[in-house]
Amino acid sequence: MHRTRVRIVEDALDANNTIARANREDFDRASVRVVNLMSAPGAGKTTLLEAALGELGAVRAGVLEGDVQGSLDADRIAHLHIPVVQLNTGSGFGGECHLDANMVRSALPALALSELDLLIVENVGNLVCPAEFRIGEDARVMISSVTEGEDKPLKYPLMFRTCELVVINKIDLLPHLDFDVELFRHHLDGVHPGVPTMLVSARTGEGVEGFRSWLREVAAREPVPV
Ligand SMILES: Nc1nc2c(ncn2[C@@H]2O[C@H](COP(=O)(O)OP(=O)(O)OP(=O)(O)O)[C@@H](O)[C@H]2O)c(=O)[nH]1
Ligand SMILES: [Mg+2]
């Protein structure tokens, strides 16, 4: 029984990877680089995008918002006059806790890929499932906010391991918390040795230019085969 269940999960992930490759071919054909932005609920994904995307210079950015229900985040991004599409995962019992490649594929007709250099996919707030599903992205970044505690890399290692950058957000709150940045980095290094981190406050703007530079660098990358 147990073997069968593992097999089903493997098949589902294989099917997802096949669709992720098709997404990636479409992105490459349109010369769009794609960032998968992940975090726990409320870590500051939308706030960071609001702070960063207005001043990307020549990079033409678009956003795909993933939420269980509603369009609150897409409405916030629309204020920046940036192309944005909302994807809801809420059909069925409780809604899906992540975006998968097929959901992203279903949103592609609503996106004018030829008018973009960079597509940022804000995944559903969750520290587990989004890390398991490729969507055809070029880069994965996650946000861990200082209100979540230093232990999160130890408790949710896959998410931290599969990202090429970890943004530590809400550093404006550090004076009010006992969050130990070095202890967090030590735990992170245990699960993903050498992964870069960025200290940011999406609220005050501190460190946001570093995140913008990273986005510009991703937008300028050559595609790497998946
Ligand atoms: N103090 C402080 N608050 C922040 C910062 N970034 C985000 N917030 C607040 O944190 C809350 C959640 O921010 P969001 O940007 O909506 O978080 P999110 O990750 O997009 O949330 P979901 O999409 O629901 O998963 C809001 O009240 C923000 O104002 C920050 O740098 N400092
Ligand atoms: Mg959000």
Side-chain angles (χ1 to χ4, degrees):
M1 181 62 182
H2 182 68
R3 285 175 66 87
T4 306
R5 288 182 60 189
V6 169
R7 182 72 225 190
I8 290 168
V9 171
E10 281 175 358
D11 286 350
L13 290 177
D14 279 353
N16 184 73
N17 286 339
T18 302
I19 301 170
R21 276 193 291 276
N23 289 348
R24 184 58 177 280
E25 280 165 18
D26 287 356
F27 297 140
D28 287 350
R29 211 172 294 121
S31 297
V32 183
R33 301 278 74 81
V34 178
V35 168
N36 188 353
L37 173 61
M38 301 181 280
S39 80
K45 298 180 294 300
T46 312
T47 310
L48 183 59
L49 294 181
E50 289 177 296
L53 294 187
E55 297 163 46
L56 275 187
V59 175
R60 300 169 302 168
V63 176
L64 203 164
E65 282 291 346
D67 281 296
V68 172
Q69 132 180 348
S71 64
L72 290 171
D73 286 0
D75 294 343
R76 288 165 64 185
I77 297 297
H79 282 119
L80 302 174
H81 304 292
I82 283 174
V84 57
V85 172
Q86 179 79 53
L87 245 181
N88 285 140
T89 67
S91 59
F93 180 72
E96 295 290 341
C97 54
H98 61 274
L99 294 177
D100 64 23
N102 201 36
M103 295 178 207
V104 169
R105 191 150 193 80
S106 72
L108 295 188
L111 283 161
L113 288 180
S114 61
E115 293 169 18
L116 299 180
D117 304 308
L118 182 68
L119 175 66
I120 297 154
V121 180
E122 180 182 332
N123 218 310
V124 181
N126 187 299
L127 276 183
V128 182
C129 309
E132 294 171 3
F133 292 85
R134 293 258 151 217
I135 55 171
E137 69 272 59
D138 296 86
R140 288 178 153 201
V141 55
M142 69 164 296
I143 301 178
S144 196
S145 64
V146 297
T147 50
E148 293 167 50
E150 305 94 343
D151 58 354
K152 292 302 164 290
L154 301 178
K155 296 171 82 171
Y156 303 93
L158 181 66
M159 171 74 71
F160 288 87
R161 199 174 285 137
T162 61
C163 285
E164 64 172 82
L165 172 68
V166 176
V167 173
I168 304 170
N169 189 34
K170 307 196 186 183
I171 59 168
D172 58 291
L173 297 178
L174 281 175
H176 311 289
L177 304 170
D178 56 5
F179 183 86
D180 181 338
V181 174
E182 286 319 307
L183 181 59
F184 174 84
R185 284 188 170 132
H186 173 74
H187 292 328
L188 178 60
D189 212 51
V191 299
H192 192 167
V195 65
T197 57
M198 240 176 229
L199 289 168
V200 164
S201 169
R203 169 70 55 83
T204 67
E206 189 177 352
V208 172
E209 183 51 31
F211 183 65
R212 275 191 212 106
S213 299
W214 181 80
L215 289 175
R216 289 189 200 104
E217 183 269 309
V218 173
R221 282 184 196 173
E222 291 298 321
V224 176
V226 274

PDB file of all heavy atoms in Angstrom, residues 51-75:
ATOM      1  N   ALA A  51       7.343  47.322  -3.687  1.00  0.00           N
ATOM      2  CA  ALA A  51       8.483  48.212  -3.436  1.00  0.00           C
ATOM      3  C   ALA A  51       9.504  48.160  -4.570  1.00  0.00           C
ATOM      4  O   ALA A  51      10.154  49.161  -4.868  1.00  0.00           O
ATOM      5  CB  ALA A  51       9.158  47.826  -2.113  1.00  0.00           C
ATOM      6  N   ALA A  52       9.629  46.983  -5.204  1.00  0.00           N
ATOM      7  CA  ALA A  52      10.750  46.788  -6.147  1.00  0.00           C
ATOM      8  C   ALA A  52      10.387  47.041  -7.602  1.00  0.00           C
ATOM      9  O   ALA A  52      11.223  47.521  -8.367  1.00  0.00           O
ATOM     10  CB  ALA A  52      11.294  45.358  -6.004  1.00  0.00           C
ATOM     11  N   LEU A  53       9.180  46.720  -7.998  1.00  0.00           N
ATOM     12  CA  LEU A  53       8.909  46.621  -9.441  1.00  0.00           C
ATOM     13  C   LEU A  53       8.717  47.953 -10.147  1.00  0.00           C
ATOM     14  O   LEU A  53       8.823  48.021 -11.373  1.00  0.00           O
ATOM     15  CB  LEU A  53       7.685  45.723  -9.695  1.00  0.00           C
ATOM     16  CG  LEU A  53       7.866  44.257  -9.327  1.00  0.00           C
ATOM     17  CD1 LEU A  53       6.662  43.452  -9.796  1.00  0.00           C
ATOM     18  CD2 LEU A  53       9.144  43.684  -9.917  1.00  0.00           C
ATOM     19  N   GLY A  54       8.434  49.009  -9.376  1.00  0.00           N
ATOM     20  CA  GLY A  54       8.225  50.306 -10.011  1.00  0.00           C
ATOM     21  C   GLY A  54       9.480  50.855 -10.675  1.00  0.00           C
ATOM     22  O   GLY A  54       9.391  51.669 -11.581  1.00  0.00           O
ATOM     23  N   GLU A  55      10.652  50.434 -10.213  1.00  0.00           N
ATOM     24  CA  GLU A  55      11.899  51.059 -10.672  1.00  0.00           C
ATOM     25  C   GLU A  55      12.881  50.036 -11.242  1.00  0.00           C
ATOM     26  O   GLU A  55      14.037  49.980 -10.845  1.00  0.00           O
ATOM     27  CB  GLU A  55      12.557  51.803  -9.505  1.00  0.00           C
ATOM     28  CG  GLU A  55      11.692  52.940  -8.978  1.00  0.00           C
ATOM     29  CD  GLU A  55      12.145  53.393  -7.607  1.00  0.00           C
ATOM     30  OE1 GLU A  55      13.355  53.567  -7.408  1.00  0.00           O
ATOM     31  OE2 GLU A  55      11.278  53.530  -6.730  1.00  0.00           O
ATOM     32  N   LEU A  56      12.402  49.236 -12.186  1.00  0.00           N
ATOM     33  CA  LEU A  56      13.280  48.210 -12.763  1.00  0.00           C
ATOM     34  C   LEU A  56      13.997  48.692 -14.021  1.00  0.00           C
ATOM     35  O   LEU A  56      14.653  47.909 -14.705  1.00  0.00           O
ATOM     36  CB  LEU A  56      12.495  46.942 -13.079  1.00  0.00           C
ATOM     37  CG  LEU A  56      12.304  45.962 -11.932  1.00  0.00           C
ATOM     38  CD1 LEU A  56      11.663  44.688 -12.464  1.00  0.00           C
ATOM     39  CD2 LEU A  56      13.613  45.635 -11.228  1.00  0.00           C
ATOM     40  N   GLY A  57      13.845  49.963 -14.338  1.00  0.00           N
ATOM     41  CA  GLY A  57      14.533  50.501 -15.515  1.00  0.00           C
ATOM     42  C   GLY A  57      13.973  49.922 -16.792  1.00  0.00           C
ATOM     43  O   GLY A  57      12.761  49.881 -16.997  1.00  0.00           O
ATOM     44  N   ALA A  58      14.885  49.414 -17.631  1.00  0.00           N
ATOM     45  CA  ALA A  58      14.462  48.949 -18.954  1.00  0.00           C
ATOM     46  C   ALA A  58      13.777  47.588 -18.915  1.00  0.00           C
ATOM     47  O   ALA A  58      13.210  47.144 -19.920  1.00  0.00           O
ATOM     48  CB  ALA A  58      15.675  48.886 -19.876  1.00  0.00           C
ATOM     49  N   VAL A  59      13.833  46.915 -17.787  1.00  0.00           N
ATOM     50  CA  VAL A  59      13.251  45.568 -17.710  1.00  0.00           C
ATOM     51  C   VAL A  59      11.728  45.661 -17.663  1.00  0.00           C
ATOM     52  O   VAL A  59      11.151  46.304 -16.781  1.00  0.00           O
ATOM     53  CB  VAL A  59      13.770  44.816 -16.460  1.00  0.00           C
ATOM     54  CG1 VAL A  59      13.065  43.474 -16.311  1.00  0.00           C
ATOM     55  CG2 VAL A  59      15.272  44.641 -16.526  1.00  0.00           C
ATOM     56  N   ARG A  60      11.075  45.011 -18.623  1.00  0.00           N
ATOM     57  CA  ARG A  60       9.602  45.008 -18.656  1.00  0.00           C
ATOM     58  C   ARG A  60       9.098  43.808 -17.848  1.00  0.00           C
ATOM     59  O   ARG A  60       9.254  42.668 -18.266  1.00  0.00           O
ATOM     60  CB  ARG A  60       9.115  44.928 -20.102  1.00  0.00           C
ATOM     61  CG  ARG A  60       9.584  46.090 -20.985  1.00  0.00           C
ATOM     62  CD  ARG A  60       9.284  45.804 -22.437  1.00  0.00           C
ATOM     63  NE  ARG A  60       9.911  44.562 -22.887  1.00  0.00           N
ATOM     64  CZ  ARG A  60       9.640  43.948 -24.026  1.00  0.00           C
ATOM     65  NH1 ARG A  60       8.745  44.448 -24.848  1.00  0.00           N
ATOM     66  NH2 ARG A  60      10.262  42.826 -24.360  1.00  0.00           N
ATOM     67  N   ALA A  61       8.522  44.101 -16.676  1.00  0.00           N
ATOM     68  CA  ALA A  61       8.118  43.029 -15.765  1.00  0.00           C
ATOM     69  C   ALA A  61       6.613  42.818 -15.790  1.00  0.00           C
ATOM     70  O   ALA A  61       5.845  43.754 -16.006  1.00  0.00           O
ATOM     71  CB  ALA A  61       8.567  43.360 -14.346  1.00  0.00           C
ATOM     72  N   GLY A  62       6.209  41.588 -15.560  1.00  0.00           N
ATOM     73  CA  GLY A  62       4.811  41.241 -15.353  1.00  0.00           C
ATOM     74  C   GLY A  62       4.721  40.324 -14.149  1.00  0.00           C
ATOM     75  O   GLY A  62       5.730  39.765 -13.700  1.00  0.00           O
ATOM     76  N   VAL A  63       3.510  40.184 -13.618  1.00  0.00           N
ATOM     77  CA  VAL A  63       3.334  39.383 -12.399  1.00  0.00           C
ATOM     78  C   VAL A  63       2.172  38.426 -12.583  1.00  0.00           C
ATOM     79  O   VAL A  63       1.132  38.794 -13.137  1.00  0.00           O
ATOM     80  CB  VAL A  63       3.065  40.296 -11.172  1.00  0.00           C
ATOM     81  CG1 VAL A  63       2.780  39.466  -9.927  1.00  0.00           C
ATOM     82  CG2 VAL A  63       4.256  41.231 -10.927  1.00  0.00           C
ATOM     83  N   LEU A  64       2.375  37.213 -12.117  1.00  0.00           N
ATOM     84  CA  LEU A  64       1.292  36.236 -12.033  1.00  0.00           C
ATOM     85  C   LEU A  64       1.072  35.981 -10.543  1.00  0.00           C
ATOM     86  O   LEU A  64       1.998  35.566  -9.836  1.00  0.00           O
ATOM     87  CB  LEU A  64       1.714  34.957 -12.751  1.00  0.00           C
ATOM     88  CG  LEU A  64       0.625  34.036 -13.259  1.00  0.00           C
ATOM     89  CD1 LEU A  64       1.221  33.058 -14.251  1.00  0.00           C
ATOM     90  CD2 LEU A  64      -0.026  33.286 -12.145  1.00  0.00           C
ATOM     91  N   GLU A  65      -0.124  36.304 -10.071  1.00  0.00           N
ATOM     92  CA  GLU A  65      -0.425  36.197  -8.644  1.00  0.00           C
ATOM     93  C   GLU A  65      -1.155  34.891  -8.359  1.00  0.00           C
ATOM     94  O   GLU A  65      -2.216  34.646  -8.936  1.00  0.00           O
ATOM     95  CB  GLU A  65      -1.315  37.366  -8.190  1.00  0.00           C
ATOM     96  CG  GLU A  65      -0.595  38.665  -7.990  1.00  0.00           C
ATOM     97  CD  GLU A  65       0.335  38.622  -6.784  1.00  0.00           C
ATOM     98  OE1 GLU A  65       0.231  37.688  -5.964  1.00  0.00           O
ATOM     99  OE2 GLU A  65       1.181  39.522  -6.680  1.00  0.00           O
ATOM    100  N   GLY A  66      -0.625  34.095  -7.462  1.00  0.00           N
ATOM    101  CA  GLY A  66      -1.287  32.858  -7.067  1.00  0.00           C
ATOM    102  C   GLY A  66      -1.865  32.992  -5.668  1.00  0.00           C
ATOM    103  O   GLY A  66      -1.140  33.310  -4.724  1.00  0.00           O
ATOM    104  N   ASP A  67      -3.176  32.808  -5.553  1.00  0.00           N
ATOM    105  CA  ASP A  67      -3.824  32.831  -4.241  1.00  0.00           C
ATOM    106  C   ASP A  67      -4.924  31.794  -4.238  1.00  0.00           C
ATOM    107  O   ASP A  67      -5.468  31.460  -5.295  1.00  0.00           O
ATOM    108  CB  ASP A  67      -4.450  34.205  -3.951  1.00  0.00           C
ATOM    109  CG  ASP A  67      -3.422  35.233  -3.509  1.00  0.00           C
ATOM    110  OD1 ASP A  67      -2.823  35.030  -2.433  1.00  0.00           O
ATOM    111  OD2 ASP A  67      -3.200  36.211  -4.246  1.00  0.00           O
ATOM    112  N   VAL A  68      -5.290  31.321  -3.066  1.00  0.00           N
ATOM    113  CA  VAL A  68      -6.397  30.377  -2.985  1.00  0.00           C
ATOM    114  C   VAL A  68      -7.670  31.036  -3.509  1.00  0.00           C
ATOM    115  O   VAL A  68      -8.424  30.467  -4.292  1.00  0.00           O
ATOM    116  CB  VAL A  68      -6.587  29.879  -1.533  1.00  0.00           C
ATOM    117  CG1 VAL A  68      -7.858  29.041  -1.406  1.00  0.00           C
ATOM    118  CG2 VAL A  68      -5.376  29.063  -1.088  1.00  0.00           C
ATOM    119  N   GLN A  69      -7.878  32.285  -3.102  1.00  0.00           N
ATOM    120  CA  GLN A  69      -9.098  32.965  -3.548  1.00  0.00           C
ATOM    121  C   GLN A  69      -8.892  34.473  -3.546  1.00  0.00           C
ATOM    122  O   GLN A  69      -8.029  35.003  -2.841  1.00  0.00           O
ATOM    123  CB  GLN A  69     -10.242  32.511  -2.621  1.00  0.00           C
ATOM    124  CG  GLN A  69     -11.089  33.536  -2.062  1.00  0.00           C
ATOM    125  CD  GLN A  69     -12.203  32.971  -1.162  1.00  0.00           C
ATOM    126  OE1 GLN A  69     -12.478  31.760  -1.113  1.00  0.00           O
ATOM    127  NE2 GLN A  69     -12.847  33.841  -0.435  1.00  0.00           N
ATOM    128  N   GLY A  70      -9.669  35.157  -4.383  1.00  0.00           N
ATOM    129  CA  GLY A  70      -9.655  36.618  -4.375  1.00  0.00           C
ATOM    130  C   GLY A  70      -8.580  37.211  -5.262  1.00  0.00           C
ATOM    131  O   GLY A  70      -7.737  36.509  -5.813  1.00  0.00           O
ATOM    132  N   SER A  71      -8.651  38.546  -5.405  1.00  0.00           N
ATOM    133  CA  SER A  71      -7.695  39.237  -6.275  1.00  0.00           C
ATOM    134  C   SER A  71      -7.013  40.394  -5.530  1.00  0.00           C
ATOM    135  O   SER A  71      -6.577  41.362  -6.163  1.00  0.00           O
ATOM    136  CB  SER A  71      -8.404  39.750  -7.526  1.00  0.00           C
ATOM    137  OG  SER A  71      -9.370  40.721  -7.167  1.00  0.00           O
ATOM    138  N   LEU A  72      -6.933  40.303  -4.215  1.00  0.00           N
ATOM    139  CA  LEU A  72      -6.360  41.409  -3.433  1.00  0.00           C
ATOM    140  C   LEU A  72      -4.938  41.735  -3.868  1.00  0.00           C
ATOM    141  O   LEU A  72      -4.578  42.895  -4.060  1.00  0.00           O
ATOM    142  CB  LEU A  72      -6.369  41.051  -1.927  1.00  0.00           C
ATOM    143  CG  LEU A  72      -7.743  41.013  -1.257  1.00  0.00           C
ATOM    144  CD1 LEU A  72      -7.623  40.446   0.158  1.00  0.00           C
ATOM    145  CD2 LEU A  72      -8.361  42.409  -1.218  1.00  0.00           C
ATOM    146  N   ASP A  73      -4.098  40.679  -4.037  1.00  0.00           N
ATOM    147  CA  ASP A  73      -2.697  40.938  -4.388  1.00  0.00           C
ATOM    148  C   ASP A  73      -2.573  41.475  -5.815  1.00  0.00           C
ATOM    149  O   ASP A  73      -1.792  42.395  -6.070  1.00  0.00           O
ATOM    150  CB  ASP A  73      -1.857  39.660  -4.234  1.00  0.00           C
ATOM    151  CG  ASP A  73      -1.606  39.327  -2.763  1.00  0.00           C
ATOM    152  OD1 ASP A  73      -2.087  40.083  -1.899  1.00  0.00           O
ATOM    153  OD2 ASP A  73      -0.918  38.331  -2.494  1.00  0.00           O
ATOM    154  N   ALA A  74      -3.370  40.916  -6.737  1.00  0.00           N
ATOM    155  CA  ALA A  74      -3.321  41.413  -8.121  1.00  0.00           C
ATOM    156  C   ALA A  74      -3.764  42.872  -8.172  1.00  0.00           C
ATOM    157  O   ALA A  74      -3.198  43.679  -8.907  1.00  0.00           O
ATOM    158  CB  ALA A  74      -4.206  40.555  -9.024  1.00  0.00           C
ATOM    159  N   ASP A  75      -4.753  43.233  -7.365  1.00  0.00           N
ATOM    160  CA  ASP A  75      -5.211  44.630  -7.327  1.00  0.00           C
ATOM    161  C   ASP A  75      -4.089  45.545  -6.840  1.00  0.00           C
ATOM    162  O   ASP A  75      -3.910  46.653  -7.348  1.00  0.00           O
ATOM    163  CB  ASP A  75      -6.433  44.777  -6.413  1.00  0.00           C
ATOM    164  CG  ASP A  75      -7.654  44.034  -6.952  1.00  0.00           C
ATOM    165  OD1 ASP A  75      -7.651  43.686  -8.153  1.00  0.00           O
ATOM    166  OD2 ASP A  75      -8.590  43.786  -6.168  1.00  0.00           O
TER     167      ASP A  75
END
